[in-house]
């Protein structure tokens, strides 16, 4: 809910310039497909609809689809098998949209070739944000040939230390200096978990005596700014009881 | 009265008492175990009596030393102890009294017995006479003893009279008395009318017999014979015409009616025939006849010579014997030595002879007879000639006649015999002794017997009383009567019986030896003393032994151990158990022991065979049999090894299954018999358990799956609802009512979403269907992070959070996301229900007292307690326990946000992570305590 204001109005999409982006939405529940269509249409995407796996594969073959949102539990051919088939010839971003919210389901989905996993019931705006994010990744893949020492990236998160600019999926994010420093520290050491004390000592350059929740509050603020859904962060993860880290992105 | 009551109590309690006694006995060993020694029935009486203080310490010590007091006694009061001592002393006294009574009885009876025999001196030495008669006479003279003695005396006197007639002339010993040897030698059978004899002097014959007869064997030719033997024989003839009566020998009788003449009854006198030479046995003529002749002078032939020699010898020897008898009788029946007076008058022809021991003031028979009758209370008068028999004794005429007939050569028909016993018993002879004994015995015998009977009666009464009381003691504490057993009562019954038997035989043996020795003592008076002392000692010993065994058996019977402690029962039960065991384990016994025995036999057999062959030096056979032996033993060993291996495999299988490896199957290949059965059983148990576990797990999974699936099915339509509500909201609706409705739809649909998520989570946690990722968690860090997350939310509601931690890092072992979920739920709870504007306290406390209840964790690093406190906005009207139930919420209206699963999930997750979750409510104070174990560094 907090993200609503943040993602609105949609920033100018670089891909809109050359061509219409086609998104295939596949779910056996027609109303959900329709709802998603409405949201995506609002963002200017062309939406194709399918109601089972076989239809989806068929549409994919007939149309030039740039992104697939697919449900897992469907008649005829379920989302998992459909994805496996699609991955045999296509590398388009695939977002699973499932009522299955178990960790195992998510891991399975991501492992067999999905790029993202959204659980039902979903926040429409989050879905839209994830669609955009994945499309950017897909279309910009291979375009980052400029090697810059001051440029730190973690997936869609990009920090330019020269300009002190932070972008998430190409969108600029405004951070306070402390938040920026914390994020920079974490991004520079991707995968490493920093405890509150360590972060405090690094940023404030003084010994952490009885560190309080200052750092935690800052982290929450950063998360709220860079994450689509702060409760399920993609970049800045909380390791509860240990510290914080930026997940190493593939 | 008290006694009666006690008895009633006793009989009522005896069963319990016995049981108690037995129980106690089994617990411990000795007499101490069985309660306090108390004697029933007397207790009240004893206590009622004044403690006279006469109980001396010495006695008590002696008592305690003897009886061995239980430790319990020492606790009891002094007066109680004295009372008990008194009772014990009384018991000891009664037992002693019992022994003494028996002793007295036996001494009395022995005295009676010994008195009932008199020992009297007779001519044959001391002799016993029993004074016991069926009809006990009042007077000595009526007793059997007296009459027997009198009879013996009569016999003696008649014999003595006969001898006197041979030895004496006019009542004086006449050494020069002539003896017709042939008549004397034939006195029993009589003599022919004409016989050859020789007359010798009495003393010559006696001396000849004492000196002995010498014979000489020599050959005599005819002339010598003729010179030796007389040519005529001297014949004595009895003139029967002058003798009336039977032809019997009465030597003094014969003289007057015999004639002696030489008879030349053959031709030798004429010297016409020569005699034949012959081997002759010649009697040396030590003495000569009255006429100064020798034997050969009276005979004319060898036959006559030898006959006369024989008669001389026989007469001499008989007279010698009679002479000794004579001396003895003369001494014995001297009036100074004997109370018997006698007079024998015999008339042979005109010659009247009188034998008497009465003082011979007069020779007149009638005066003598009168004198004797005057002196004697008891007499026998026998006059066969006049057919008279008078007596005031029990001796019958036949008896006397029989005796007299034995000496009929000495007593003619005209004989009078008077025998009497002097009334005053002046002489210390057998009558005197017998009378003395009789008078000692007869008047007192009944007193003695009555005394003995009384003693025995008392003894029996005591026996009954003590039997009833024996072994029973009253427990001090409970007052109930129990049976107390002594150590000897534990000896098996049969051994006790055997010991008793040995004692009986031992006593009997020793006693018989002793009595035998005493019996043959010469000293009669010391024998009596010895007999009495022996009897007393024997009685004491017997009594002690009897008491020992008897009371032991009494206690056994009362305690019910007579049969139980018997060897027969023990052996029987041993055998029975053995048989039962054998029956129960027949297969096992047969299977183990029969092959073992067979193997041993085979080993023995082959070993012996090999040894035999070795002895025979046939090495080949020995070697072969040794190899066979090794082969057989090896095979048996292999079978045993295989069995042990199978057992080992089964054991390992059981261990694995017990440790949770339910899929484990024991390999049944190569197993036989019991091992196979066992392996199959183990496998089947494992299968059953696995099936059960799998079923149960499947059920749980199904349940969780069901909830998950249902929630999926809910979520799909919910997605549409949420999406379309959102779409409606985007439609810029102006109508405020619609906007309000849509808002409600939005909130409720969001809540439904939360609810389904929580439901799934809760069901998964409670079914244990979660996998925990254990890692080391810094609780302080976690709390800072959480507080950071919630800072704005709390600010929203003006909740001020106070966090206190002992140090910067407190590590526990937990699943990072799950522990976060716990804390998050707690904080959410506070956020929802805490009174706005209050403080929230979060405290970490370290506790060294770790879960001491759990063994093995004793020396752990301690615990950490996280307590979260807040003031509830609503009054808390609910139990802490109920709060953690699913779907329970503090506000009953359920209007606030939340699924009602928060605390339930928190609690279940905490417990899943080995923590403790506790809710404390005190007024409006809501407090949650979480306890975790600290991890080791």
């Amino acid at each position: 809910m907090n993200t609503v204001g943040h993602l609105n109005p949609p920033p100018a999409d670089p891909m809109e310039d050359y061509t219409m982006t086609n998104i295939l939405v596949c779910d056996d529940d027609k109303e959900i497909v329709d709802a998603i269509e409405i949201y995506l249409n609002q963002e200017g995407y062309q939406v194709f609809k399918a109601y089972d796996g076989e239809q989806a594969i068929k549409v994919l073959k007939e149309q030039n689809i740039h992104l697939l949102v697919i449900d897992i539990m469907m008649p005829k051919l379920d989302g998992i098998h459909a994805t496996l088939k699609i991955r045999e010839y296509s590398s388009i971003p695939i977002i699973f949209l499932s009522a299955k919210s178990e960790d195992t389901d998510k891991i399975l989905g991501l492992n067999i070739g999905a790029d993202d996993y959204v659980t039902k019931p979903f926040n429409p705006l989050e879905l839209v944000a994830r669609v955009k994010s994945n499309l950017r990744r897909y279309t910009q893949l291979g375009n980052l040939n400029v090697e810059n020492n001051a440029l730190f990236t973690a997936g869609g998160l990009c920090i330019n230390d020269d300009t002190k600019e932070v972008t998430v999926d190409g969108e600029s994010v405004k951070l306070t200096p402390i938040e920026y420093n914390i994020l920079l520290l974490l991004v520079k050491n991707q995968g490493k978990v920093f405890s509150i004390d360590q972060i405090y000592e690094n940023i404030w350059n003084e010994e952490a005596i009885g560190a309080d929740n200052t750092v935690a509050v800052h982290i929450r603020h950063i998360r709220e700014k860079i994450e689509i859904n702060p409760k399920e962060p993609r970049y800045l993860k909380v390791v509860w009881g240990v510290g914080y880290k930026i997940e190493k992105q593939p | 009265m008290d006694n009666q009551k006690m008895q009633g109590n006793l009989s009522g309690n005896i069963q319990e008492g016995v049981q108690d006694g037995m129980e106690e006995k089994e617990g411990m060993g000795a007499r101490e175990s069985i309660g306090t020694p108390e004697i029933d029935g007397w207790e009240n009486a004893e206590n009622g009596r004044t403690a006279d203080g006469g109980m001396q310490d010495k006695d008590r010590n002696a008592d305690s030393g003897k009886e061995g007091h239980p430790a319990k006694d020492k606790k009891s009061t002094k007066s109680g102890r004295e009372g008990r001592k008194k009772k014990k002393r009384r018991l000891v006294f009664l037992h002693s009294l019992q022994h003494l009574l028996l002793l007295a009885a036996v001494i009395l009876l022995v005295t009676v017995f010994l008195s009932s025999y008199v020992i009297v001196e007779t001519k044959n030495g001391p002799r016993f006479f029993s004074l016991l008669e069926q009809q006990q006479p009042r007077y000595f003279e009526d007793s059997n003893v007296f009459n027997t003695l009198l009879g013996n005396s009569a016999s003696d006197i008649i014999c003595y009279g006969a001898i006197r007639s041979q030895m004496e002339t006019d009542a004086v010993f006449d050494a020069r008395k002539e003896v017709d040897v042939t008549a004397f030698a034939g006195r029993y059978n009589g003599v022919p009318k004409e016989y050859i004899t020789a007359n010798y002097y009495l003393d010559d014959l006696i001396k000849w017999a004492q000196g002995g007869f010498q014979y000489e064997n020599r050959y005599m030719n005819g002339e010598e014979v003729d010179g030796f033997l007389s040519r005529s024989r001297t014949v004595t003839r009895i003139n029967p015409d002058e003798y009336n009566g039977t032809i019997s020998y009465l030597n003094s009788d014969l003289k007057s009616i015999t004639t002696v003449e030489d008879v030349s009854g053959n031709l030798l006198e004429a010297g016409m025939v020569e005699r034949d030479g012959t081997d002759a046995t010649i009697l040396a003529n030590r003495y000569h006849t009255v006429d100064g002749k020798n034997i050969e002078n009276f005979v004319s032939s060898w036959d006559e010579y030898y006959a006369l020699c024989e008669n001389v010898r026989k007469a001499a020897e008989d007279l010698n014997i009679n002479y000794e008898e004579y001396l003895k009788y003369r001494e014995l029946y001297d009036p100074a030595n004997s109370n018997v007076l006698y007079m024998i008058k015999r008339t042979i022809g005109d010659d009247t002879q009188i034998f008497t021991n009465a003082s011979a003031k007069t020779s007149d028979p009638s005066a003598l007879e009168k004198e004797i009758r005057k002196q004697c209370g008891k007499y026998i008068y026998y006059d066969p000639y006049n057919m008279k028999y008078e007596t005031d004794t029990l001796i019958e005429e036949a008896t006397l006649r029989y005796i007299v007939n034995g000496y009929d050569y000495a007593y003619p028909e005209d004989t009078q015999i008077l025998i009497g016993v002097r009334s005053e018993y002046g002489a210390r002879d057998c009558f005197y002794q017998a009378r003395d004994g009789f008078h000692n015995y007869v008047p007192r015998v009944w007193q003695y017997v009555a005394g003995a009977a009384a003693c025995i009666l008392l003894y029996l009464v005591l026996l009954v009383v003590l039997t009833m009381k024996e072994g029973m003691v009253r427990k001090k504490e409970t007052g109930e009567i129990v049976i107390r057993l002594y150590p000897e009562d534990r000896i098996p019954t049969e051994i006790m019986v055997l010991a008793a038997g040995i004692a009986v035989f031992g006593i009997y043996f020793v006693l018989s030896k002793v009595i035998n020795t005493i019996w043959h003592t010469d000293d009669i008076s010391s024998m009596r003393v010895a007999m009495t002392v022996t009897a007393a000692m024997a009685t004491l010993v017997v009594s002690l032994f009897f008491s020992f065994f008897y009371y032991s058996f009494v206690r056994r019977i009362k305690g019910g151990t007579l049969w139980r402690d018997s060897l027969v029962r023990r052996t029987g039960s041993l055998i029975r158990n053995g048989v039962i065991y054998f029956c129960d384990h027949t297969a096992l016994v047969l299977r183990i022991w029969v092959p073992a025995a067979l193997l041993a036999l085979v080993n023995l057999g082959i070993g012996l065979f090999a040894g035999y062959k070795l002895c025979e030096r046939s090495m080949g056979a020995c070697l072969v049999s040794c190899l066979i032996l090794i082969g057989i033993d090896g095979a048996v060993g292999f079978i045993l090894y295989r069995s042990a291996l199978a057992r080992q495999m089964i054991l390992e299988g059981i261990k694995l299954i017990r440790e949770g490896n339910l899929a484990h199957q024991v390999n049944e290949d190569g197993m036989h018999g019991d091992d196979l059965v066992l392996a199959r059983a183990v496998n089947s148990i494992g299968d059953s358990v696995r099936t059960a576990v799998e079923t149960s797990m499947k059920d749980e999974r199904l349940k969780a799956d069901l909830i998950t699936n249902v929630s999926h099915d809910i979520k799909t339509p919910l997605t549409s609802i949420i999406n379309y509500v959102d779409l409606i909201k985007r439609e810029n609706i102006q109508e405020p009512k619609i906007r309000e409705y849509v808002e409600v739809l939005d909130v409720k649909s969001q809540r439904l979403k939360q609810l389904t998520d929580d439901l799934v989570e809760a069901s998964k946690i409670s079914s244990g269907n979660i996998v925990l990722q254990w890692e080391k968690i810094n609780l302080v860090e976690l709390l800072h992070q959480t507080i950071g997350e919630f800072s704005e939310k709390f600010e929203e509601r003006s909740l001020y959070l106070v966090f206190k931690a002992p140090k910067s890092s407190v590590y526990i072992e937990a699943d990072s996301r799950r522990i976060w979920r716990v804390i998050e739920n707690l904080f959410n709870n506070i956020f929802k229900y805490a009174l706005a504007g209050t403080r929230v306290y979060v405290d970490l406390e370290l506790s060294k007292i770790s879960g001491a209840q759990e063994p093995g964790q004793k020396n752990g690093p301690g615990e950490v307690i996280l307590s979260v406190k807040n003031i509830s906005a609503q009054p808390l009207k609910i139990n802490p326990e109920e709060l953690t139930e699913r779907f329970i919420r503090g506000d009953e209206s359920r209007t606030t946000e939340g699924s009602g699963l928060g605390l339930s999930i928190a609690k279940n997750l905490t417990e899943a992570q080995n923590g403790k979750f506790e809710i404390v409510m005190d007024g409006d104070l809501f407090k949650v305590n979480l306890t975790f174990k600290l991890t080791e560094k």
Side-chain angles (χ1 to χ4, degrees), chain A residues 31 39 102-103 125 196, chain B residues 724 726 730 764 781 817:
Chain A
E31 284 71 32
Y39 286 113
E102 309 298 306
D103 291 344
L125 299 179
I196 289 175
Chain B
Y724 285 95
D726 188 61
R730 286 168 180 247
K764 277 202 294 188
E781 179 100 13
R817 286 200 302 129

Side-chain angles (χ1 to χ4, degrees), chain B residues 321-339:
Chain B
I321 292 165
N322 284 355
Y323 176 66
E324 282 170 12
E325 289 284 292
Y326 171 77
L327 291 177
K328 206 190 280 175
Y329 282 132
R330 195 169 65 177
E331 170 72 19
L332 201 61
Y333 287 98
D334 186 276
N337 296 333
S338 176
N339 289 311

Side-chain angles (χ1 to χ4, degrees), chain B residues 860-874:
Chain B
E863 292 179 332
V864 56
I865 300 165
L866 166 63
S867 60
V868 180
K869 287 173 269 192
N870 68 282
I871 302 296
S872 173
Q874 303 284 326

Side-chain angles (χ1 to χ4, degrees), chain B residues 563 566-579:
Chain B
W563 170 242
S566 71
L567 282 177
V568 169
R569 193 198 67 83
R570 288 185 192 175
T571 318
S573 69
L574 208 66
I575 291 169
R576 201 186 59 195
N577 289 343
V579 169

Side-chain angles (χ1 to χ4, degrees), chain B residues 50 66 96 321 353 408 467 521 667 750-751:
Chain B
T50 52
K66 198 167 66 184
S96 308
I321 292 165
Q353 292 172 329
D408 63 352
T467 301
T521 313
N667 187 3
Q750 290 298 334
R751 180 138 161 244

Side-chain angles (χ1 to χ4, degrees), chain B residues 620-639:
Chain B
C622 175
L623 209 62
V624 167
S625 48
C626 279
L627 283 175
I628 291 171
L629 195 62
I630 290 166
I632 290 172
D633 285 358
V636 171
F638 176 72
I639 290 167

